[in-house]
């Protein structure tokens, strides 16, 4: 029996319904966690900027912004932490075939992540509850470890995912792991582009997300200094990062061309290998052929290899059973890129008006678009992850372990999925209601004084 | 190497029980604090005490899970696949506890506070119960190696597992009562201190009785573990636990609230290590720690990382507890 489980093979297969449920449960939990994680990574920096500006200028507006943001951060953090804990359980509950064999290979980044979580949780406790107990400068300094630990934890966990895309740092015989180099597994080839892309994405989601709240207020006519600054600080950060993100996304795509060509082929709906492969905008795959797409001649070859004659590997080079579902991946990728360029346009308008007129844009169209930017950025992150994860199918570890062999073969897995879904629906509704009530129950006064700042608890 | 690694992991589990466990226990006292008016001051004390620290304390659980899948991957796979039902309930309990706690703090209307408070308190009861049940399933030898090899239901619905669940709940409530007594005293709330002292005494006696009952359950249901607990290093730790438990009751009677924190924690920790010692080196039936362990390269890298991490963590953690234990500062406003 021991040899059977060491081989990491489930002794009986899960039903297709249970496999589907497990995948959906994982996708739901990750897709949910990632939104809070983005705020966990990005919001501390933005709050800290406001706090430092407040200390420097003594301006109560900055100080009030910092305190109110910190309060929201407290709620988001707690929800992010519990949803992350669920993920740790699910790695084992849903994917024992993955963890039982390869848990040790990706263990190191998770151990390091554990340290980062500790640092984060400790300093979040001090930061949130320490306003009245610490001198202002010391208090601001306690925000720095939160920022560093948040970025570090995003880095570590994404290295684990990058390893699933580019499994390195171990050797196997008879389905048993016989040597492990945990550092090589962590710093696998996919780590640089994926971690960079994700960390930039986190700051974009937090920045555009926070700015969206104030854009809505602007549309409702609240254009006082508090709301203007509440918009400008996070929006500026996110706007600066948007062009960076597009360059990094291009890097990620070029990386796929070199290392995971089947995923790239799925992203673009390319079935036959060849040179001068066009880029498909829109379109849908029917009967193994891309239809209704706008084609940019040689576009994909150019993007992937910088010259039109670049050879692109098509899906038909692998058996049908090894091809990911093309339409989902193609649609998800297109949505991400479209949102990326829409956010770039929005950032450009903002920068242009600031450059020429030294003020915020006035047209309601800008504010309407800005009000949607946060949701858009979050949607781009979800779409990006669908691209990455579904594009890797049918593998959970690329070329090494199939998702169907990783899943828990115990019956009834889908009931857990229904239960978890119900809990997440309730949790989503309550989180939104609580955050709305929190901001509405204490309206921002027209003239902000230091007393208003002290009153935030 | 795997013995050192296992000891670190068990140390993490101990700290989770002593710190995170007490946060759950505090939630249990919230459950029985009485109506909104009568129970308000108790609830405020509980919220003030666990508010700044519960998230950090909670990380110990994640720490243990991650160390387990890194260091003993087949054990992690076997435990989480066979016990997926109680572990899913633990996971939902953790969501309920954490989110309801912050939601209650963030809401202003009394009805909302009551609703979130009820969820917080109820999940504080259920989470340690199912965690204890899962531990008891392993202790009772009901989780065989392999993926989903154990019975999905009887592995955790059996006398040993249920006894461990009840014992875990008692332990967390007892620890919380002991800590809160001192907390109330430090804040100068003498009547609350008296109340929690009474609760600590009562729950301490009950915990001791449940522990003895659990031992009798083991005798008929998990004889091997019972024998190992009453011989060799297991026995030594059981004796330490009993002595520390009795001393704690005496210290409570004598109102030495600071000292009793240490002895109560020792009693609980010795119980946990007694289990570990009794079972070592077997982690699951027929699977020893050495057989289950990851490669030395992995264990060394993880322990090395934790060693370096500890240099950052220990001072931060001490600083955190000191900031929130300083009594000369203005009280928290919650
Ligand atoms: C704010 C969010 C955001 C925006 C605007 C973009 N992306 Fe992205 N993208 C992500 C957020 C994201 C992500 C959620 O963070 C992913 C999922 C996995 C990852 O590492 O990053 C991702 C994955 C991802 C992948 C798959 C990587 C892999 O599987 O290894 C590619 C090829 C791109 N992106 C390319 C782009 C391009 C060409 C963009 C140009 C507009 C772009 N992304 C904008
Ligand atoms: C946080 C951002 C992430 C999101 C939104 C995400 C999204 C998804 C989605 C959509 C699936 C389902 C794939 C399918 O049904 O075909 C999935 C599966 C999975 N993901 Fe991710 N993922 C994320 C990050 C990660 C990370 C960091 C890890 C591991 C360290 C991971 C591990 C897995 C596993 C084990 C599965 C199940 C196997 C599979 O279906 O491929 N994911 N994820
Ligand atoms: C790309 C994906 C991910 C990113 C960027 C990310 C980032 C973060 C961050 C910044 C936090 C801190 C809490 C917060 O900010 O709300 C957090 C919490 C957490 N995450 Fe994730 N995470 C990701 C995916 C995962 C996955 C796949 C797992 C587990 C397998 C996981 C496990 C956890 C856990 C256990 C916590 C709670 C830590 C605590 O109690 O403080 N995360 N995550």
């Amino acid at each position: 029996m021991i040899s059977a489980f060491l081989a990491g093979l489930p002794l009986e297969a899960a039903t297709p319904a249970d496999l589907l449920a497990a995948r959906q449960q994982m996708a739901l939990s990750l897709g949910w966690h990632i939104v809070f994680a983005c705020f966990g990574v990005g919001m501390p920096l933005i709050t800290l900027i406001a706090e430092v500006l407040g200390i420097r200028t003594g301006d109560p507006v900055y100080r009030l912004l910092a305190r109110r943001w910190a309060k929201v951060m407290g709620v988001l953090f707690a929800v992010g932490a519990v949803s992350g804990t669920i993920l740790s359980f699910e790695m084992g509950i849903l994917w024992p075939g993955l963890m039982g064999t390869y848990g040790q290979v990706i263990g190191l980044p998770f151990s390091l992540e554990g340290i980062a979580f500790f640092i984060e949780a400790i300093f979040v406790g001090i930061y949130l509850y320490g306003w009245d107990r610490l001198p202002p400068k010391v208090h601001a300094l306690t925000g720095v470890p939160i920022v560093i630990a948040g970025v570090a934890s995003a880095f570590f966990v994404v290295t684990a995912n990058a390893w699933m895309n580019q499994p390195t740092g171990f050797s196997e015989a008879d389905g048993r792991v016989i040597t492990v180099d945990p550092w090589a597994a962590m710093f696998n080839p996919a780590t640089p582009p994926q971690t960079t892309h994700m960390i930039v994405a986190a700051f974009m989601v937090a920045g555009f997300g926070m700015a969206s709240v104030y854009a809505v207020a602007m549309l409702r006519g609240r254009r006082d200094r508090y709301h203007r600054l509440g918009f400008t600080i996070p929006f500026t950060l996110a706007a600066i990062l948007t062009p960076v993100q597009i360059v990094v996304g291009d890097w990620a795509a070029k990386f796929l061309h070199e290392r995971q060509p089947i995923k790239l082929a799925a992203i673009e709906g390319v079935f036959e290998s060849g040179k001068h492969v066009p880029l498909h905008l829109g379109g849908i795959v029917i009967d193994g052929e891309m239809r209704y797409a706008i084609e940019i001649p040689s576009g994909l070859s150019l993007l992937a290899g910088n010259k039109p004659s670049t050879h692109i590997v098509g899906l038909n080079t692998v058996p049908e059973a090894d091809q990911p579902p093309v339409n989902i991946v193609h649609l998800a990728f297109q949505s991400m890129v479209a949102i990326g360029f829409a956010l770039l346009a929005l950032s450009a308008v903002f920068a242009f008006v600031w450059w020429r007129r030294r003020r915020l844009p006035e047209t309601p169209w800008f504010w309407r678009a800005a009000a949607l930017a946060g949701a858009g950025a979050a949607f781009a992150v979800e779409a990006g992850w669908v691209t990455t994860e579904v594009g890797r199918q049918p593998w959970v570890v690329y070329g090494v372990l199939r998702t169907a062999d990783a899943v828990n073969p115990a019956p009834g897995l889908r009931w857990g999925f229904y239960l978890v879904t119900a809990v997440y629906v309730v949790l989503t509704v309550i989180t939104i209601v609580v955050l709305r009530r929190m901001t509405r129950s204490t309206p921002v006064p027209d003239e902000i004084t230091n007393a208003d700042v002290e009153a935030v608890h | 190497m795997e013995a050192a690694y296992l000891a670190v992991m068990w140390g993490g589990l101990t700290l989770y029980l002593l710190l995170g466990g007490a946060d759950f226990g505090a939630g249990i006292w919230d459950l029985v604090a009485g109506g909104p008016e009568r129970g308000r001051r108790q609830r405020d004390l509980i919220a003030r005490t666990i508010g700044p620290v519960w998230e950090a304390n909670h990380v110990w659980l994640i720490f243990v899970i991650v160390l387990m899948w890194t260091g003993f991957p087949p054990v992690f796979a076997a435990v989480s696949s066979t016990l997926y039902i109680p572990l899913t309930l633990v996971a939902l309990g953790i969501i309920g506890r954490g989110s309801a706690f912050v939601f209650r703090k963030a809401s202003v209307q009394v009805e909302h506070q009551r609703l979130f408070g009820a969820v917080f308190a109820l999940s504080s009861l259920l989470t340690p119960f199912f965690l204890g049940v899962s531990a008891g399933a392993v202790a009772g030898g009901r989780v065989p190696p392999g993926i989903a090899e154990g019975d999905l239901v009887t592995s955790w619905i059996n006398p040993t597992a249920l006894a461990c669940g009840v014992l875990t709940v008692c332990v967390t409530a007892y620890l919380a009562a002991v800590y809160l007594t001192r907390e109330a005293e430090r804040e100068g709330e003498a009547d609350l201190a008296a109340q929690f002292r009474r609760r600590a005494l009562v729950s301490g006696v009950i915990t001791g009785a449940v522990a003895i009952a659990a031992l009798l359950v083991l005798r008929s249901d998990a004889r091997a573990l019972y024998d190992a607990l009453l011989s060799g290093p297991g026995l030594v730790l059981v004796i330490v636990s009993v002595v520390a438990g009795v001393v704690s009751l005496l210290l409570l009677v004598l109102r030495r609230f600071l000292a009793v924190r240490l002895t109560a924690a020792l009693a609980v920790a010795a119980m946990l290590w007694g289990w570990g010692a009794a079972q070592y080196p077997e982690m699951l039936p027929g699977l020893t720690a050495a057989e289950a362990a990851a490669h030395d390269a992995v264990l060394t890298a993880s322990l090395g990382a934790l060693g370096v991490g500890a240099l950052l963590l220990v001072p931060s953690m001490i600083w955190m507890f000191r900031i929130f234990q300083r009594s000369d500062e203005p009280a928290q406003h919650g």
Side-chain angles (χ1 to χ4, degrees):
Chain A
M1 184 206 296
I2 291 183
S3 57
F5 82 79
L6 284 177
L9 298 172
L11 302 172
E12 58 203 291
T15 66
D18 279 340
L19 173 60
L20 187 65
R23 290 168 68 175
Q24 286 172 330
Q25 182 174 337
M26 194 73 199
L28 171 73
S29 317
L30 279 160
W32 209 85
H33 176 69
I34 193 69
V35 175
F36 290 85
C38 287
F39 281 94
V41 174
M43 206 164 170
L45 176 67
I46 298 170
T47 306
L48 198 58
I49 293 174
E51 184 181 2
V52 169
L53 289 171
I55 293 174
R56 282 228 173 143
T57 60
D59 185 338
V61 172
Y62 287 124
R63 297 176 55 211
L64 186 61
L65 280 170
R67 295 230 37 183
R68 289 180 69 123
W69 286 344
K71 234 186 131 183
V72 174
M73 211 161 84
V75 174
L76 295 179
F77 248 113
V79 180
V82 293
S83 65
T85 310
I86 305 319
L87 282 170
S88 314
F89 278 90
E90 284 172 345
M91 295 299 275
I93 291 173
L94 303 176
W95 313 108
L98 168 68
M99 302 313 287
T101 311
Y102 302 106
Q104 56 173 317
V105 186
I106 52 171
L108 178 64
F110 280 105
S111 307
L112 291 166
E113 203 197 10
I115 296 169
F117 284 152
F118 261 125
I119 300 275
E120 207 172 359
I122 291 169
F123 283 94
V124 164
I126 296 176
Y127 190 80
L128 296 182
Y129 289 81
W131 292 94
D132 306 324
R133 294 174 176 241
L134 297 170
K137 280 190 184 147
V138 176
H139 184 266
L141 278 177
T142 65
V144 176
I146 307 179
V147 178
I148 296 173
V151 172
S153 66
F155 174 81
F156 292 135
V157 77
V158 175
T159 66
N161 184 271
W163 178 85
M164 289 160 54
N165 287 323
Q166 293 291 313
T168 47
F170 69 104
S171 64
E172 266 185 314
D174 306 329
R176 287 189 59 171
V177 172
I178 47 177
T179 59
V180 186
D181 177 352
W183 295 102
M186 185 169 150
F187 290 96
N188 63 76
T191 291
Q194 254 197 281
T195 52
T196 314
H197 202 39
M198 180 64 230
I199 290 167
V200 175
F203 283 103
M204 283 176 68
V205 170
F208 283 126
M210 290 165 75
S212 285
V213 175
Y214 297 91
V216 171
M218 293 280 190
L219 286 170
R220 296 213 172 111
R222 301 219 51 178
R223 295 182 165 246
D224 49 86
R225 194 154 168 275
Y226 175 87
H227 287 88
R228 287 200 313 269
L229 286 175
F231 176 82
T232 309
I233 298 172
F235 193 89
T236 308
L237 179 74
I240 293 171
L241 286 174
T242 302
V244 176
Q245 180 72 325
I246 290 179
V247 174
V248 178
D250 181 50
W251 176 22
K254 288 189 161 68
F255 175 82
L256 289 186
H257 166 64
E258 278 170 28
R259 291 285 190 151
Q260 255 185 305
I262 297 303
K263 191 187 272 183
L264 186 66
I267 282 175
E268 287 296 332
V270 176
F271 285 88
E272 301 302 334
S273 309
K275 297 179 176 179
H276 300 282
V277 176
L279 195 65
H280 292 135
L281 298 185
I284 181 168
V285 169
I286 302 169
D287 299 331
E289 202 189 323
M290 177 62 80
R291 306 213 180 155
Y292 314 116
I294 302 171
E295 293 198 354
I296 301 179
S298 301
L300 182 58
S301 288
L302 257 176
L303 278 181
N306 294 330
K307 49 184 200 294
S309 59
T310 308
H311 184 263
I312 301 287
V313 175
L315 283 164
N316 288 345
T317 50
V318 295
E320 205 158 321
D322 287 357
Q323 298 178 3
V326 177
N327 279 325
I328 302 177
V329 181
H330 183 59
L331 180 67
F333 180 77
Q334 303 262 314
S335 316
M336 168 175 62
V337 174
I339 292 171
F341 280 101
L343 292 174
L344 183 70
L346 190 69
S347 307
V349 171
F350 177 79
F352 182 80
V353 173
W354 189 260
W355 175 49
R356 300 312 294 259
R357 314 238 162 87
R358 295 281 144 197
R359 62 162 172 78
L360 294 178
E362 269 163 9
T363 153
W365 285 107
F366 175 83
W367 295 105
R368 282 181 201 134
L372 292 175
F379 191 87
V381 165
E382 302 285 351
W385 279 105
V386 170
T387 309
T388 302
E389 304 288 307
V390 181
R392 193 184 54 233
Q393 299 306 312
W395 305 101
V396 62
V397 182
Y398 187 56
V400 173
L401 179 69
R402 280 169 198 273
T403 313
D405 296 332
V407 73
N408 186 351
L413 229 44
R414 58 185 170 283
W415 297 104
F417 169 57
Y418 302 146
L419 202 62
V420 167
T421 308
V423 169
Y424 272 125
V425 169
V426 173
L427 198 57
T428 308
V429 173
I430 296 181
T431 308
I432 293 170
V433 170
V434 166
L435 287 179
R436 286 178 72 122
R437 279 186 193 258
M438 213 162 109
T439 40
R440 294 214 177 136
S441 61
T442 42
V444 179
D446 291 331
E447 283 295 322
I448 294 165
T449 63
N450 282 328
D452 296 314
V453 180
E454 310 303 336
V456 182
H457 286 298
Chain B
M1 179 54 79
E2 81 277 352
Y5 188 94
L6 187 59
V8 171
M9 186 176 119
W10 214 248
L13 189 63
T14 311
L15 284 168
Y16 180 59
L17 183 60
L18 295 180
L19 300 169
D23 293 341
F24 283 114
I28 299 175
W29 293 119
D30 187 301
L31 190 64
V32 298
E37 261 320 299
R38 207 161 55 83
R40 198 176 44 97
R41 284 184 47 235
Q42 292 178 40
R43 293 205 169 87
D44 286 351
L45 175 71
I46 291 168
R48 275 200 305 275
T49 311
I50 73 175
V53 294
W54 73 268
E55 277 186 88
N57 292 344
H58 171 76
V59 181
W60 286 111
L61 174 65
I62 296 153
F63 179 83
V64 173
I65 294 177
V66 167
L67 283 192
M68 177 143 93
W69 88 43
T70 308
F72 305 100
V75 176
F76 178 71
V79 169
S80 47
S81 56
T82 291
L83 296 178
Y84 91 85
I85 299 171
L87 289 177
T88 301
L89 296 173
V90 170
L92 296 180
I94 288 172
I95 296 200
R97 194 279 298 252
S99 48
F101 181 72
V102 289
F103 290 158
R104 178 173 71 176
K105 179 167 178 288
S107 45
V108 272
Q109 272 141 314
V110 178
E111 319 87 82
H112 292 178
Q113 288 177 346
R114 285 185 67 181
L115 177 68
F116 292 137
V119 175
F120 161 67
L122 212 59
S123 44
S124 295
L125 180 70
L126 293 178
T127 312
F129 176 73
F130 285 113
L131 269 174
V133 164
S134 307
V138 175
R142 285 337 199 286
V143 180
I147 290 173
E149 282 292 290
D151 192 291
L152 293 183
V153 177
T154 59
S155 59
W156 58 280
I157 301 192
N158 61 59
T160 303
L162 297 177
C164 289
V166 174
L167 182 60
T168 311
V169 169
C170 294
V171 162
T172 58
Y174 167 60
L175 285 175
V178 167
Y179 299 170
L180 285 167
T181 309
R182 160 75 184 144
E183 215 56 39
E185 184 197 41
R186 200 174 53 74
E187 293 194 1
E189 312 230 35
D191 57 330
L192 286 186
Q195 215 164 13
F196 278 111
R197 170 174 169 266
R198 207 162 43 242
R199 290 179 173 168
L201 279 167
V202 173
S203 59
V205 171
I206 294 179
T207 306
V210 170
I212 292 168
L215 213 54
L216 295 179
V217 171
L218 287 186
R219 200 180 121 114
S220 63
D221 196 46
R223 187 68 199 216
L225 183 65
Y226 174 82
D227 289 340
L229 269 175
L230 295 185
S231 62
L235 182 62
V236 175
L237 286 159
V238 168
I239 293 174
V240 170
S241 179
V242 172
V243 172
V246 172
V247 170
S248 305
L249 291 179
L250 287 176
L251 289 172
L252 276 172
V253 172
L254 298 173
R255 298 174 198 278
R256 309 296 289 270
F257 297 144
L258 199 56
V260 68
R261 278 188 163 185
L262 294 180
T263 54
L266 179 64
V268 172
M271 208 179 320
L272 193 63
W273 283 80
W275 166 30
Q279 209 177 305
Y280 188 81
E282 199 160 79
M283 293 187 82
L284 299 176
L287 184 66
T288 63
E291 288 170 316
H295 289 279
D296 270 353
V298 174
L299 301 183
T300 322
S302 284
L303 283 183
L306 295 178
V308 175
L311 296 179
L312 296 170
L313 282 178
V314 173
S316 317
M317 219 170 273
I318 293 175
W319 193 45
M320 170 182 78
F321 282 113
R322 282 191 51 178
I323 291 179
F324 297 113
Q325 298 271 316
R326 234 180 284 157
S327 45
D328 49 348
E329 295 285 334
Q332 269 313 124
H333 302 274

